[in-house]
C-alpha cells in the first residue's frame, strides 16, 4: 500500500514537472499585441512568428497597419528554431499556425518550404524579385545582410585593419601579443548565423581552416550573439571581430563611433531573412498582405532607413540597398541563394563534422 501511494506521489510530481517545463518553454516566445488603429472591435488579427526583435519589428507593423487600419497584429518574437518547430508541430497536429513567418535561419525556412509547410504567394513583386532571393514564389529573401570584419578604430590609428582573410591571418601573426584574447567571432555550435557563415566560408575559401587555426592561436573568444561581440569591440576590450552580421554592426557603429566595419575584399558572404506564408496559416490572405507589404517599396524603404537593414527590392534606391551595394562591390558580394542547397548542413552528420573540425582548429596551437 505504501509503495502504491509512493508511486502515485511520484507520478504527480512528474506530471507537475512536465507541466512546469512545458509552461516555461512557452514563455520563451514573447507575444505583443498591436490593436487595429481604426479601433474596430471585430478586427481581423494577423499572427506573426518572427526572430526579429520587437523594437525593430514595430516600424514595419506600424507601416502595415497604416495601410490596413482595420487589422490587428499578434506578434510573437521567437528563436529561429522555435519558429520552425512550432509551425511543424501545429501543422502536423491539424491545428492552425502563424499567417506569416520571418526568420534569419535560412536553412530552416527553406526546409519548411521544401517539406510542404509553406504555400505559394504569387504577389505583384514576385516576377521582379531577384532570382537568388525567390524560391518558387514560396520563400522570399527580404533582407541583404553581409558578414563583415568589425574593428576597434582607436586600435588602428597607425595601421590599416585587415581587408581580406589573408590579411586577417597576417595581422594575427604579426601582432600576436597585442591581439591575444582580444578577437571574437560567433560560436557556431550555438549561433545559427555563425554556422551559416562558416559553412559558406568552407565553400568559398580553400584556406579557411588556416584562418580558424590562426584565430585559435590568438585566443579567439566565441559568442552566440552579435551584441556581446560588438559591445566589447566598442569599448576596446576586443580589437577585431570576424564574420559579424553587418546589419547589427552598422546599427552599433551608428551609435558607437569607435566601431569600424570592413566588407572583406576577397569575398563577402551575404545572408538574408526569409519570409513565407505557412501552409496551415490561420488567415493566409492576411499573411500574403503582410508579405506583400514587406516586398513593397514602402516596406523595403522602412527596413532600409528605419531598421538599418539593407533592402532587397530593385525599386528602392539609396546606400542601404542590395542594388547599390552590388553596384559598388560587384562580385565581391556572395549572396546565399534561397534554394534547397541550404539544407545540406541540416544533415546532423555533416553538421557534426564541421563543428568537430572547427573545435580541432581552434585548439590547434
Amino acid at each position: 500500500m505504501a509503495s502504491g501511494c509512493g508511486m502515485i506521489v511520484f507520478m504527480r510530481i512528474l506530471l507537475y514537472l512536465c507541466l512546469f517545463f512545458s509552461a516555461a518553454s512557452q514563455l520563451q516566445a514573447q507575444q505583443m499585441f498591436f490593436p487595429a488603429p481604426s479601433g474596430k472591435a471585430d478586427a481581423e488579427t494577423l499572427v506573426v512568428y518572427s526572430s526579429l526583435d520587437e523594437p525593430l519589428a514595430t516600424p514595419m507593423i506600424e507601416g502595415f497597419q497604416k495601410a490596413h487600419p482595420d487589422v490587428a497584429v499578434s506578434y510573437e518574437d521567437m528563436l529561429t528554431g522555435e519558429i520552425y518547430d512550432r509551425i511543424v508541430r501545429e501543422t502536423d497536429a491539424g491545428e492552425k499556425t502563424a499567417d506569416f513567418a520571418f526568420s534569419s535561419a535560412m536553412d530552416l525556412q527553406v526546409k519548411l518550404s521544401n517539406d510542404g509547410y509553406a504555400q505559394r504567394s504569387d504577389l505583384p513583386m514576385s516576377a521582379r524579385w531577384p532570382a537568388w532571393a525567390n524560391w518558387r514564389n514560396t520563400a522570399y529573401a527580404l533582407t541583404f545582410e553581409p558578414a563583415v570584419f568589425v574593428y576597434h578604430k582607436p586600435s588602428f590609428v597607425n595601421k590599416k585593419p585587415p581587408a581580406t582573410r589573408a590579411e586577417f591571418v597576417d595581422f594575427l601573426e604579426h601582432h600576436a601579443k597585442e591581439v591575444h584574447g582580444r578577437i571574437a567571432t560567433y560560436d557556431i555550435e550555438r549561433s545559427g548565423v555563425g554556422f551559416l557563415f562558416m559553412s559558406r566560408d568552407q565553400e568559398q575559401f580553400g584556406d579557411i581552416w588556416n584562418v580558424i587555426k590562426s584565430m585559435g592561436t590568438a585566443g579567439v573568444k566565441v559568442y552566440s550573439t552579435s551584441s556581446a561581440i560588438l559591445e566589447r569591440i566598442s569599448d576596446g576590450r576586443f580589437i577585431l571581430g570576424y564574420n559579424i552580421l553587418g546589419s547589427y554592426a552598422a546599427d552599433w557603429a551608428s551609435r558607437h563611433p569607435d566601431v569600424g566595419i570592413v566588407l572583406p575584399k576577397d569575398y563577402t558572404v551575404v545572408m538574408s531573412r526569409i519570409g513565407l506564408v505557412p501552409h496551415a496559416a490561420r488567415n493566409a490572405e492576411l499573411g500574403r498582405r503582410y508579405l506583400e507589404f514587406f516586398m513593397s517599396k514602402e516596406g523595403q524603404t522602412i527596413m532600409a532607413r528605419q531598421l538599418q537593414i539593407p533592402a532587397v527590392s530593385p525599386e528602392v534606391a539609396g546606400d542601404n540597398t542590395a542594388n547599390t551595394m552590388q553596384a559598388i562591390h560587384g562580385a565581391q558580394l556572395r549572396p546565399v541563394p534561397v534554394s534547397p542547397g541550404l539544407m545540406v548542413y541540416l544533415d546532423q552528420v555533416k553538421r557534426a563534422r564541421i563543428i568537430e573540425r572547427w573545435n580541432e582548429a581552434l585548439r590547434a596551437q
Side-chain angles (χ1 to χ4, degrees):
M1 183 69 174
S3 175
C5 290
M7 180 59 70
I8 291 172
V9 171
F10 173 76
M11 292 303 292
R12 284 178 177 170
I13 291 173
L14 186 61
L15 175 61
Y16 292 151
L17 286 173
C18 289
L19 291 173
F20 172 79
F21 285 115
S22 176
S25 68
Q26 295 300 315
L27 289 175
Q28 291 180 9
Q30 298 182 33
Q31 186 170 359
M32 283 70 66
F33 187 75
F34 298 80
S38 68
K40 187 178 180 182
D42 59 346
E44 293 182 297
T45 299
L46 166 72
V47 178
V48 178
Y49 294 171
S50 173
S51 63
L52 187 66
D53 293 344
E54 183 265 337
L56 291 176
T58 297
M60 294 297 293
I61 293 170
E62 290 175 344
F64 173 75
Q65 288 186 312
K66 185 178 180 181
H68 302 87
D70 289 337
V71 177
V73 178
S74 175
Y75 187 86
E76 297 197 44
D77 180 0
M78 309 164 69
L79 298 175
T80 57
E82 291 176 319
I83 293 172
Y84 174 84
D85 291 341
R86 189 160 168 188
I87 290 174
V88 170
R89 183 176 69 250
E90 291 172 342
T91 304
D92 289 351
E95 302 171 1
K96 293 299 182 182
T97 189
D99 304 316
F100 181 74
F102 186 56
S103 173
S104 57
M106 298 183 71
D107 49 3
L108 293 178
Q109 291 288 86
V110 168
K111 183 169 175 57
L112 284 175
S113 174
N114 189 71
D115 293 352
Y117 291 96
Q119 55 182 283
R120 280 183 67 94
S121 294
D122 299 315
L123 301 169
M125 282 298 295
S126 296
R128 296 196 59 205
W129 215 245
W132 64 265
N134 178 0
W135 173 245
R136 296 181 175 177
N137 286 11
T138 303
Y140 293 90
L142 302 174
T143 68
F144 193 81
E145 303 176 59
V148 301
F149 297 165
V150 183
Y151 66 98
H152 180 242
K153 285 183 179 179
S155 298
F156 288 88
V157 172
N158 299 314
K159 49 186 175 289
K160 290 184 178 181
T164 67
R165 285 159 183 80
E167 289 179 10
F168 195 94
V169 170
D170 186 69
F171 183 84
L172 297 185
E173 292 176 349
H174 286 84
H175 299 82
K177 290 184 178 180
E178 179 187 355
V179 304
H180 195 272
R182 299 180 67 197
I183 60 170
T185 191
Y186 294 118
D187 179 350
I188 70 167
E189 292 190 69
R190 294 187 296 157
S191 167
V193 168
F195 186 87
L196 173 66
F197 288 156
M198 182 62 230
S199 63
R200 299 302 290 185
D201 270 347
Q202 185 179 234
E203 295 170 2
Q204 300 284 341
F205 191 60
D207 203 28
I208 189 59
W209 295 110
N210 186 47
V211 177
I212 308 306
K213 286 180 182 177
S214 296
M215 287 198 290
T217 302
V220 65
K221 308 296 184 185
V222 296
Y223 296 87
S224 59
T225 66
S226 305
S227 58
I229 297 170
L230 291 163
E231 177 186 346
R232 290 163 174 80
I233 294 284
S234 68
D235 64 20
R237 278 178 285 172
F238 290 169
I239 293 177
L240 283 168
Y242 177 81
N243 260 6
I244 311 305
L245 192 58
S247 54
Y248 286 118
D251 176 65
W252 202 275
S254 70
R255 295 178 285 110
H256 300 84
D258 286 344
V259 174
I261 298 172
V262 173
L263 271 67
K265 291 183 178 178
D266 43 0
Y267 68 90
T268 299
V269 175
V270 181
M271 64 81 67
S272 302
R273 299 170 202 261
I274 293 178
L276 56 81
V277 177
H279 181 76
R282 290 173 175 82
N283 189 327
E285 180 54 33
L286 268 188
R288 267 189 281 276
R289 271 194 263 167
Y290 195 52
L291 175 57
E292 183 177 348
F293 178 75
F294 252 88
M295 297 171 69
S296 70
K297 185 175 182 179
E298 181 183 1
Q300 289 277 296
T301 299
I302 290 173
M303 192 178 301
R305 295 181 183 175
Q306 294 187 44
L307 278 62
Q308 293 299 308
I309 299 178
V312 174
S313 174
E315 291 188 342
V316 179
D319 294 338
N320 210 24
T321 66
N323 271 356
T324 299
M325 293 174 70
Q326 288 174 318
I328 294 172
H329 300 287
Q332 172 187 335
L333 300 178
R334 311 281 174 86
V336 179
V338 182
S339 75
L342 278 162
M343 297 188 296
V344 169
Y345 296 105
L346 288 175
D347 182 301
Q348 292 305 307
V349 174
K350 292 180 180 178
R351 180 182 177 85
R353 285 174 181 164
I354 287 184
I355 290 174
E356 181 181 6
R357 189 170 182 183
W358 162 270
N359 287 326
E360 288 177 354
L362 288 185
R363 286 194 298 267
Q365 298 294 326

